Amino acid sequence: MNVVQDTKVDFDWAGRAAVSYLESDSVAVIRRRENSLAWLPVFLREADDAPFVKVDGDWIPVDGLLGFLRYEKSRTKKFYDTAKGKLVNA
């Protein structure tokens, strides 16, 4: 008697195992050309909580970013709600 077990493996279009990323409460501060700064949202890989950023559609480990300086906590943005006539948190 042959027994077949059901095993579910998620694959993306390129045949690699699917990987999930979770949004963190931090941004990576990067020094760009001509000493300008950029802030990129940091995501944590679900499997091991390793920090990544998304650049041009590719997931890059923060350790591999050229010009990486530090992490900063994200700040809440405030927007003016014209219907209510006051600032609201985003």
Side-chain angles (χ1 to χ4, degrees):
M1 180 165 131
N2 291 335
V3 177
V4 177
Q5 292 181 341
D6 245 352
T7 304
K8 182 180 177 187
V9 178
D10 291 329
F11 288 96
D12 67 7
W13 63 272
R16 298 173 296 207
V19 178
S20 297
Y21 295 89
L22 306 171
E23 191 172 354
S24 76
D25 62 350
S26 299
V27 292
V29 181
I30 312 298
R31 183 173 304 279
R32 299 282 186 175
R33 290 178 247 133
E34 300 166 6
N35 287 332
S36 65
L37 296 178
W39 289 263
L40 300 173
V42 174
F43 294 84
L44 301 175
R45 186 170 50 197
E46 192 173 33
D48 59 1
D49 288 337
F52 281 77
V53 294
K54 194 167 190 177
V55 177
D56 297 329
D58 294 325
W59 290 103
I60 300 174
V62 172
D63 300 352
L65 285 172
L66 292 175
F68 172 72
L69 297 175
R70 65 184 178 274
Y71 294 104
E72 287 183 4
K73 288 281 190 187
S74 340
R75 296 183 180 98
T76 353
K77 294 181 183 175
K78 294 198 176 237
F79 295 101
Y80 186 76
D81 184 344
T82 55
K84 296 180 182 176
K86 64 179 181 178
L87 289 173
V88 294
N89 292 331

